[in-house]
mmCIF file of all heavy atoms in Angstrom:
data_model
loop_
_atom_site.group_PDB
_atom_site.id
_atom_site.type_symbol
_atom_site.label_atom_id
_atom_site.label_comp_id
_atom_site.label_asym_id
_atom_site.label_seq_id
_atom_site.Cartn_x
_atom_site.Cartn_y
_atom_site.Cartn_z
ATOM 1 N N LYS A 1 82.360 94.661 107.152
ATOM 2 C CA LYS A 1 83.341 93.850 107.866
ATOM 3 C C LYS A 1 84.360 94.706 108.631
ATOM 4 O O LYS A 1 84.608 94.476 109.811
ATOM 5 C CB LYS A 1 84.055 92.898 106.910
ATOM 6 C CG LYS A 1 84.859 91.793 107.612
ATOM 7 C CD LYS A 1 85.359 90.781 106.601
ATOM 8 C CE LYS A 1 85.953 89.556 107.287
ATOM 9 N NZ LYS A 1 87.161 89.862 108.045
ATOM 10 N N PRO A 2 84.986 95.731 107.990
ATOM 11 C CA PRO A 2 85.909 96.565 108.762
ATOM 12 C C PRO A 2 85.246 97.335 109.895
ATOM 13 O O PRO A 2 85.877 97.627 110.922
ATOM 14 C CB PRO A 2 86.501 97.512 107.716
ATOM 15 C CG PRO A 2 85.586 97.450 106.561
ATOM 16 C CD PRO A 2 84.977 96.094 106.570
ATOM 17 N N ILE A 3 83.950 97.658 109.733
ATOM 18 C CA ILE A 3 83.222 98.318 110.830
ATOM 19 C C ILE A 3 83.095 97.359 112.005
ATOM 20 O O ILE A 3 83.320 97.735 113.164
ATOM 21 C CB ILE A 3 81.836 98.800 110.350
ATOM 22 C CG1 ILE A 3 81.997 99.906 109.302
ATOM 23 C CG2 ILE A 3 80.986 99.289 111.532
ATOM 24 C CD1 ILE A 3 80.700 100.398 108.712
ATOM 25 N N GLN A 4 82.754 96.104 111.732
ATOM 26 C CA GLN A 4 82.649 95.098 112.789
ATOM 27 C C GLN A 4 84.006 94.861 113.452
ATOM 28 O O GLN A 4 84.092 94.683 114.675
ATOM 29 C CB GLN A 4 82.100 93.811 112.210
ATOM 30 C CG GLN A 4 81.723 92.763 113.254
ATOM 31 C CD GLN A 4 80.993 91.587 112.618
ATOM 32 O OE1 GLN A 4 81.349 91.134 111.522
ATOM 33 N NE2 GLN A 4 79.971 91.088 113.280
ATOM 34 N N GLU A 5 85.073 94.859 112.669
ATOM 35 C CA GLU A 5 86.404 94.608 113.209
ATOM 36 C C GLU A 5 86.918 95.737 114.094
ATOM 37 O O GLU A 5 87.903 95.566 114.816
ATOM 38 C CB GLU A 5 87.384 94.373 112.052
ATOM 39 C CG GLU A 5 87.134 93.041 111.332
ATOM 40 C CD GLU A 5 87.966 92.896 110.062
ATOM 41 O OE1 GLU A 5 88.524 93.916 109.606
ATOM 42 O OE2 GLU A 5 88.058 91.759 109.542
ATOM 43 N N MET A 6 86.243 96.901 114.061
ATOM 44 C CA MET A 6 86.625 98.017 114.935
ATOM 45 C C MET A 6 86.225 97.764 116.379
ATOM 46 O O MET A 6 86.682 98.484 117.288
ATOM 47 C CB MET A 6 85.993 99.321 114.442
ATOM 48 C CG MET A 6 86.581 99.824 113.154
ATOM 49 S SD MET A 6 85.753 101.317 112.570
ATOM 50 C CE MET A 6 86.542 101.534 110.969
ATOM 51 N N ASP A 7 85.371 96.774 116.612
ATOM 52 C CA ASP A 7 85.033 96.392 117.996
ATOM 53 C C ASP A 7 86.195 95.588 118.552
ATOM 54 O O ASP A 7 86.297 94.382 118.340
ATOM 55 C CB ASP A 7 83.738 95.580 118.005
ATOM 56 C CG ASP A 7 83.337 95.127 119.407
ATOM 57 O OD1 ASP A 7 84.040 95.506 120.379
ATOM 58 O OD2 ASP A 7 82.341 94.415 119.538
ATOM 59 N N GLY A 8 87.075 96.271 119.252
ATOM 60 C CA GLY A 8 88.260 95.615 119.804
ATOM 61 C C GLY A 8 88.075 95.029 121.179
ATOM 62 O O GLY A 8 89.025 94.474 121.756
ATOM 63 N N GLU A 9 86.862 95.109 121.721
ATOM 64 C CA GLU A 9 86.619 94.622 123.080
ATOM 65 C C GLU A 9 85.955 93.256 123.087
ATOM 66 O O GLU A 9 86.211 92.445 123.989
ATOM 67 C CB GLU A 9 85.738 95.632 123.841
ATOM 68 C CG GLU A 9 86.406 96.999 124.006
ATOM 69 C CD GLU A 9 85.516 97.976 124.764
ATOM 70 O OE1 GLU A 9 84.413 97.555 125.194
ATOM 71 O OE2 GLU A 9 85.914 99.141 124.921
ATOM 72 N N SER A 10 85.114 92.991 122.109
ATOM 73 C CA SER A 10 84.373 91.715 122.087
ATOM 74 C C SER A 10 85.213 90.636 121.421
ATOM 75 O O SER A 10 86.110 90.900 120.629
ATOM 76 C CB SER A 10 83.050 91.879 121.329
ATOM 77 O OG SER A 10 82.279 92.932 121.889
ATOM 78 N N ASP A 11 84.915 89.377 121.761
ATOM 79 C CA ASP A 11 85.622 88.233 121.180
ATOM 80 C C ASP A 11 85.157 87.988 119.753
ATOM 81 O O ASP A 11 84.034 88.375 119.377
ATOM 82 C CB ASP A 11 85.365 86.968 122.019
ATOM 83 C CG ASP A 11 85.940 87.069 123.430
ATOM 84 O OD1 ASP A 11 86.946 87.803 123.593
ATOM 85 O OD2 ASP A 11 85.382 86.442 124.333
ATOM 86 N N LEU A 12 86.011 87.317 118.970
ATOM 87 C CA LEU A 12 85.626 86.910 117.626
ATOM 88 C C LEU A 12 84.357 86.061 117.689
ATOM 89 O O LEU A 12 84.228 85.169 118.501
ATOM 90 C CB LEU A 12 86.763 86.084 117.008
ATOM 91 C CG LEU A 12 86.499 85.501 115.613
ATOM 92 C CD1 LEU A 12 86.351 86.612 114.589
ATOM 93 C CD2 LEU A 12 87.613 84.534 115.204
ATOM 94 N N GLY A 13 83.431 86.378 116.834
ATOM 95 C CA GLY A 13 82.144 85.690 116.827
ATOM 96 C C GLY A 13 81.075 86.443 117.573
ATOM 97 O O GLY A 13 79.891 86.114 117.461
ATOM 98 N N LYS A 14 81.504 87.477 118.344
ATOM 99 C CA LYS A 14 80.552 88.225 119.155
ATOM 100 C C LYS A 14 80.691 89.744 118.958
ATOM 101 O O LYS A 14 80.125 90.517 119.724
ATOM 102 C CB LYS A 14 80.738 87.892 120.637
ATOM 103 C CG LYS A 14 80.594 86.410 120.986
ATOM 104 C CD LYS A 14 80.859 86.160 122.436
ATOM 105 C CE LYS A 14 80.728 84.665 122.777
ATOM 106 N NZ LYS A 14 81.011 84.406 124.208
ATOM 107 N N ARG A 15 81.479 90.139 117.968
ATOM 108 C CA ARG A 15 81.744 91.567 117.782
ATOM 109 C C ARG A 15 80.509 92.299 117.250
ATOM 110 O O ARG A 15 79.825 91.835 116.341
ATOM 111 C CB ARG A 15 82.933 91.759 116.840
ATOM 112 C CG ARG A 15 84.249 91.307 117.470
ATOM 113 C CD ARG A 15 85.434 91.493 116.545
ATOM 114 N NE ARG A 15 85.358 90.634 115.362
ATOM 115 C CZ ARG A 15 86.356 90.507 114.491
ATOM 116 N NH1 ARG A 15 87.494 91.173 114.681
ATOM 117 N NH2 ARG A 15 86.227 89.714 113.453
ATOM 118 N N HIS A 16 80.232 93.459 117.846
ATOM 119 C CA HIS A 16 79.075 94.264 117.465
ATOM 120 C C HIS A 16 79.329 94.943 116.100
ATOM 121 O O HIS A 16 80.470 95.055 115.648
ATOM 122 C CB HIS A 16 78.796 95.329 118.522
ATOM 123 C CG HIS A 16 78.665 94.791 119.912
ATOM 124 N ND1 HIS A 16 77.840 93.728 120.232
ATOM 125 C CD2 HIS A 16 79.272 95.145 121.079
ATOM 126 C CE1 HIS A 16 77.929 93.466 121.530
ATOM 127 N NE2 HIS A 16 78.798 94.312 122.059
ATOM 128 N N ILE A 17 78.252 95.413 115.491
ATOM 129 C CA ILE A 17 78.332 96.136 114.225
ATOM 130 C C ILE A 17 77.831 97.554 114.502
ATOM 131 O O ILE A 17 76.634 97.850 114.416
ATOM 132 C CB ILE A 17 77.486 95.438 113.147
ATOM 133 C CG1 ILE A 17 77.913 93.972 113.016
ATOM 134 C CG2 ILE A 17 77.647 96.155 111.805
ATOM 135 C CD1 ILE A 17 76.937 93.127 112.244
ATOM 136 N N LEU A 18 78.769 98.425 114.857
ATOM 137 C CA LEU A 18 78.431 99.781 115.307
ATOM 138 C C LEU A 18 78.628 100.761 114.155
ATOM 139 O O LEU A 18 79.638 101.479 114.080
ATOM 140 C CB LEU A 18 79.300 100.146 116.522
ATOM 141 C CG LEU A 18 79.237 99.152 117.695
ATOM 142 C CD1 LEU A 18 80.142 99.601 118.834
ATOM 143 C CD2 LEU A 18 77.798 98.963 118.179
ATOM 144 N N ILE A 19 77.651 100.787 113.272
ATOM 145 C CA ILE A 19 77.725 101.676 112.108
ATOM 146 C C ILE A 19 77.823 103.135 112.541
ATOM 147 O O ILE A 19 78.496 103.939 111.894
ATOM 148 C CB ILE A 19 76.498 101.445 111.210
ATOM 149 C CG1 ILE A 19 76.512 100.008 110.654
ATOM 150 C CG2 ILE A 19 76.451 102.455 110.065
ATOM 151 C CD1 ILE A 19 75.265 99.627 109.901
ATOM 152 N N SER A 20 77.197 103.486 113.664
ATOM 153 C CA SER A 20 77.205 104.866 114.123
ATOM 154 C C SER A 20 78.588 105.372 114.508
ATOM 155 O O SER A 20 78.807 106.578 114.602
ATOM 156 C CB SER A 20 76.253 105.025 115.328
ATOM 157 O OG SER A 20 76.695 104.232 116.426
ATOM 158 N N LYS A 21 79.534 104.456 114.717
ATOM 159 C CA LYS A 21 80.894 104.862 115.062
ATOM 160 C C LYS A 21 81.643 105.380 113.821
ATOM 161 O O LYS A 21 82.494 106.267 113.933
ATOM 162 C CB LYS A 21 81.672 103.690 115.669
ATOM 163 C CG LYS A 21 81.105 103.177 116.983
ATOM 164 C CD LYS A 21 81.230 104.214 118.081
ATOM 165 C CE LYS A 21 80.754 103.625 119.426
ATOM 166 N NZ LYS A 21 80.809 104.638 120.510
ATOM 167 N N GLU A 22 81.377 104.798 112.674
ATOM 168 C CA GLU A 22 82.025 105.205 111.412
ATOM 169 C C GLU A 22 80.992 105.217 110.287
ATOM 170 O O GLU A 22 81.128 104.489 109.294
ATOM 171 C CB GLU A 22 83.177 104.260 111.066
ATOM 172 C CG GLU A 22 84.342 104.324 112.011
ATOM 173 C CD GLU A 22 85.130 105.632 111.899
ATOM 174 O OE1 GLU A 22 84.966 106.343 110.888
ATOM 175 O OE2 GLU A 22 85.902 105.935 112.816
ATOM 176 N N PRO A 23 79.965 106.050 110.393
ATOM 177 C CA PRO A 23 78.875 105.975 109.409
ATOM 178 C C PRO A 23 79.298 106.332 107.994
ATOM 179 O O PRO A 23 78.742 105.809 107.024
ATOM 180 C CB PRO A 23 77.844 106.981 109.954
ATOM 181 C CG PRO A 23 78.648 107.932 110.787
ATOM 182 C CD PRO A 23 79.736 107.101 111.401
ATOM 183 N N ARG A 24 80.302 107.187 107.859
ATOM 184 C CA ARG A 24 80.657 107.660 106.513
ATOM 185 C C ARG A 24 81.390 106.620 105.685
ATOM 186 O O ARG A 24 81.641 106.860 104.498
ATOM 187 C CB ARG A 24 81.458 108.946 106.628
ATOM 188 C CG ARG A 24 80.643 110.080 107.199
ATOM 189 C CD ARG A 24 81.167 111.450 106.875
ATOM 190 N NE ARG A 24 80.194 112.469 107.190
ATOM 191 C CZ ARG A 24 80.428 113.771 107.032
ATOM 192 N NH1 ARG A 24 81.612 114.173 106.576
ATOM 193 N NH2 ARG A 24 79.494 114.659 107.323
ATOM 194 N N LEU A 25 81.721 105.482 106.273
ATOM 195 C CA LEU A 25 82.292 104.407 105.485
ATOM 196 C C LEU A 25 81.295 103.878 104.449
ATOM 197 O O LEU A 25 81.684 103.250 103.464
ATOM 198 C CB LEU A 25 82.766 103.263 106.386
ATOM 199 C CG LEU A 25 84.011 103.531 107.228
ATOM 200 C CD1 LEU A 25 84.358 102.315 108.074
ATOM 201 C CD2 LEU A 25 85.201 103.897 106.341
ATOM 202 N N LEU A 26 80.005 104.136 104.693
ATOM 203 C CA LEU A 26 78.974 103.699 103.742
ATOM 204 C C LEU A 26 78.707 104.732 102.651
ATOM 205 O O LEU A 26 78.065 104.412 101.642
ATOM 206 C CB LEU A 26 77.664 103.405 104.476
ATOM 207 C CG LEU A 26 77.682 102.263 105.500
ATOM 208 C CD1 LEU A 26 76.336 102.173 106.196
ATOM 209 C CD2 LEU A 26 77.992 100.945 104.815
ATOM 210 N N GLU A 27 79.194 105.945 102.848
ATOM 211 C CA GLU A 27 78.947 106.999 101.847
ATOM 212 C C GLU A 27 79.610 106.655 100.526
ATOM 213 O O GLU A 27 80.741 106.168 100.482
ATOM 214 C CB GLU A 27 79.483 108.345 102.348
ATOM 215 C CG GLU A 27 78.505 109.095 103.193
ATOM 216 C CD GLU A 27 78.974 110.520 103.520
ATOM 217 O OE1 GLU A 27 79.876 111.025 102.822
ATOM 218 O OE2 GLU A 27 78.476 111.081 104.502
ATOM 219 N N GLY A 28 78.908 106.909 99.448
ATOM 220 C CA GLY A 28 79.442 106.655 98.124
ATOM 221 C C GLY A 28 79.143 105.259 97.603
ATOM 222 O O GLY A 28 79.454 104.970 96.441
ATOM 223 N N PHE A 29 78.570 104.394 98.443
ATOM 224 C CA PHE A 29 78.244 103.038 97.967
ATOM 225 C C PHE A 29 77.297 103.133 96.778
ATOM 226 O O PHE A 29 76.258 103.776 96.856
ATOM 227 C CB PHE A 29 77.623 102.203 99.079
ATOM 228 C CG PHE A 29 77.313 100.800 98.647
ATOM 229 C CD1 PHE A 29 78.300 99.830 98.617
ATOM 230 C CD2 PHE A 29 76.040 100.447 98.220
ATOM 231 C CE1 PHE A 29 78.015 98.529 98.198
ATOM 232 C CE2 PHE A 29 75.736 99.169 97.801
ATOM 233 C CZ PHE A 29 76.738 98.209 97.778
ATOM 234 N N THR A 30 77.655 102.474 95.686
ATOM 235 C CA THR A 30 76.856 102.575 94.461
ATOM 236 C C THR A 30 76.044 101.310 94.226
ATOM 237 O O THR A 30 76.474 100.205 94.553
ATOM 238 C CB THR A 30 77.756 102.850 93.247
ATOM 239 O OG1 THR A 30 76.949 102.893 92.057
ATOM 240 C CG2 THR A 30 78.829 101.777 93.092
ATOM 241 N N LEU A 31 74.871 101.498 93.660
ATOM 242 C CA LEU A 31 74.000 100.373 93.303
ATOM 243 C C LEU A 31 74.200 99.927 91.864
ATOM 244 O O LEU A 31 73.475 99.079 91.377
ATOM 245 C CB LEU A 31 72.532 100.756 93.507
ATOM 246 C CG LEU A 31 71.966 100.658 94.940
ATOM 247 C CD1 LEU A 31 72.617 101.675 95.853
ATOM 248 C CD2 LEU A 31 70.445 100.866 94.940
ATOM 249 N N ASN A 32 75.201 100.529 91.208
ATOM 250 C CA ASN A 32 75.384 100.246 89.792
ATOM 251 C C ASN A 32 76.835 99.997 89.424
ATOM 252 O O ASN A 32 77.732 100.547 90.049
ATOM 253 C CB ASN A 32 74.859 101.425 88.949
ATOM 254 C CG ASN A 32 73.428 101.748 89.242
ATOM 255 O OD1 ASN A 32 73.151 102.537 90.128
ATOM 256 N ND2 ASN A 32 72.514 101.115 88.533
ATOM 257 N N ARG A 33 77.024 99.179 88.418
ATOM 258 C CA ARG A 33 78.342 98.944 87.844
ATOM 259 C C ARG A 33 78.395 99.372 86.373
ATOM 260 O O ARG A 33 79.437 99.762 85.882
ATOM 261 C CB ARG A 33 78.723 97.473 87.972
ATOM 262 C CG ARG A 33 79.040 97.073 89.423
ATOM 263 C CD ARG A 33 79.367 95.621 89.563
ATOM 264 N NE ARG A 33 79.794 95.304 90.911
ATOM 265 C CZ ARG A 33 79.942 94.075 91.380
ATOM 266 N NH1 ARG A 33 79.708 93.028 90.564
ATOM 267 N NH2 ARG A 33 80.338 93.855 92.615
ATOM 268 N N ARG A 34 77.263 99.281 85.711
ATOM 269 C CA ARG A 34 77.241 99.619 84.290
ATOM 270 C C ARG A 34 77.262 101.129 84.075
ATOM 271 O O ARG A 34 78.074 101.661 83.323
ATOM 272 C CB ARG A 34 76.002 99.007 83.633
ATOM 273 C CG ARG A 34 75.974 99.173 82.136
ATOM 274 C CD ARG A 34 74.744 98.527 81.535
ATOM 275 N NE ARG A 34 74.736 98.656 80.070
ATOM 276 C CZ ARG A 34 73.683 98.354 79.318
ATOM 277 N NH1 ARG A 34 72.579 97.877 79.879
ATOM 278 N NH2 ARG A 34 73.730 98.514 78.019
ATOM 279 N N TYR A 35 76.348 101.841 84.724
ATOM 280 C CA TYR A 35 76.302 103.294 84.648
ATOM 281 C C TYR A 35 76.301 103.868 86.067
ATOM 282 O O TYR A 35 75.334 103.678 86.785
ATOM 283 C CB TYR A 35 75.051 103.773 83.897
ATOM 284 C CG TYR A 35 74.962 103.289 82.472
ATOM 285 C CD1 TYR A 35 74.004 102.340 82.107
ATOM 286 C CD2 TYR A 35 75.822 103.777 81.494
ATOM 287 C CE1 TYR A 35 73.910 101.893 80.805
ATOM 288 C CE2 TYR A 35 75.746 103.322 80.180
ATOM 289 C CZ TYR A 35 74.790 102.386 79.839
ATOM 290 O OH TYR A 35 74.703 101.940 78.553
ATOM 291 N N LEU A 36 77.360 104.561 86.429
ATOM 292 C CA LEU A 36 77.410 105.187 87.738
ATOM 293 C C LEU A 36 76.579 106.471 87.723
ATOM 294 O O LEU A 36 76.416 107.115 86.690
ATOM 295 C CB LEU A 36 78.853 105.503 88.117
ATOM 296 C CG LEU A 36 79.814 104.309 88.210
ATOM 297 C CD1 LEU A 36 81.204 104.795 88.595
ATOM 298 C CD2 LEU A 36 79.301 103.260 89.171
#
């Protein structure tokens, strides 16, 4: 969601999802809650 909100040029409902602009926001995402 915050990556999509970085598109300040497009209107709400049409904002692009440009992961390549801030790819490291996904780093560290874990698939686990019980055992990290």
Side-chain angles (χ1 to χ4, degrees):
K1 194 172 190 294
I3 294 177
Q4 190 172 40
E5 290 172 346
M6 290 177 186
D7 179 3
E9 298 180 2
S10 305
D11 295 332
L12 177 66
K14 303 177 181 179
R15 292 180 294 189
H16 308 309
I17 306 166
L18 306 179
I19 296 172
S20 63
K21 297 294 184 182
E22 293 290 343
R24 295 201 167 178
L25 289 180
L26 296 176
E27 274 188 19
F29 181 82
T30 178
L31 278 66
N32 304 88
R33 288 178 174 169
R34 187 179 181 190
Y35 299 110
L36 300 180

